[in-house]
Amino acid sequence: METTGGIQASLSGRYAVALFDLARDGKTLDTVAASLAAIKAAIAESSDFKGLINSPVLSRDAAGKTIAAVASAMSIDPLTTNFLGVLAQNRRLSQLPAVIRAYETLLSNHKGEARAEVTSAHPLTKTQLTALTKGLKARVGRDVAVEAKVDPAILGGLVVKIGSQMIDSSIRTRLNSLALAMKG
């Protein structure tokens, strides 16, 4: 498969490729992506959910029942719900964040998009995200799927990662560079 590249090398990558193949065959790529985005948000927002997927003490059966209940409450599509059940039965729920990242990469490659991870000190507005997406598209030469993150530690500016390329215009990095220049 041309879109998998090196993703299959990792355990989470193999799971993501399997889910991607099933979703592509069932013509539910975007539905699964929306479900995974909801799960990703739940992991980020809920320490209880994060604890559930990382709990080593839950039995396979208990983890499966709990994740099925969570999936039902979140209205997750059937394919993704079944996939979560497989992860629970194989004691691989802790791999879920990495599986989601790998799936997003596979989907972007399938659509011919580049993926960009943008970190800012404050949440970006829709207008700022739109302008940033247009600028990145002009730089990369193809559509760009932007994942915005917030990290107040960068103080200001942006850190943009596109594949193996990183553009760091954060104030923290500039201050560190200035401090190094003043020492030398």
Side-chain angles (χ1 to χ4, degrees), residues 1 3 6 11 28 31 40 48-49 55 68 90 97-98 100 102 104 110-111 116 128 143 152 166 168 177-178 184:
M1 170 177 208
T3 58
L11 178 65
T28 58
T31 304
K40 184 178 184 178
D48 289 340
F49 189 57
S55 175
N90 293 338
I100 293 171
E104 290 169 341
H110 179 73
K111 290 180 174 183
Q128 291 169 324
D143 287 339
M166 184 165 93
D168 189 343
S177 298
L178 182 60

Side-chain angles (χ1 to χ4, degrees), residues 172-184:
R172 176 181 60 192
T173 300
R174 290 180 184 179
L175 288 173
N176 289 340
S177 298
L178 182 60
L180 284 174
M182 291 175 71
K183 285 181 184 178

Side-chain angles (χ1 to χ4, degrees), residues 33-85:
S35 291
L36 292 177
I39 293 166
K40 184 178 184 178
I43 292 169
E45 294 167 9
S46 170
S47 58
D48 289 340
F49 189 57
K50 194 177 216 170
L52 165 70
I53 67 169
N54 291 311
S55 175
V57 295
L58 272 181
S59 70
R60 292 172 195 249
D61 200 37
K65 287 178 181 174
T66 306
I67 203 72
V70 168
S72 175
M74 292 177 66
S75 300
I76 300 299
D77 70 279
L79 176 59
T80 306
T81 299
N82 290 341
F83 178 75
L84 292 172

Side-chain angles (χ1 to χ4, degrees), residues 116-152:
E117 182 181 297
V118 177
T119 305
S120 60
H122 304 285
L124 298 174
T125 65
K126 283 207 181 275
T127 306
Q128 291 169 324
L129 274 173
T130 302
L132 179 63
T133 303
K134 283 182 184 175
L136 291 173
K137 181 178 179 179
R139 182 181 178 120
V140 175
R142 58 185 175 150
D143 287 339
V144 178
V146 174
E147 179 183 349
K149 295 182 176 183
V150 177
D151 181 3

Side-chain angles (χ1 to χ4, degrees), residues 92-114:
R92 299 287 189 227
L93 281 174
S94 63
Q95 294 288 315
L96 191 53
V99 170
I100 293 171
R101 281 191 303 276
Y103 184 91
E104 290 169 341
T105 300
L106 289 166
L107 186 60
S108 291
N109 290 343
H110 179 73
K111 290 180 174 183
E113 297 175 330

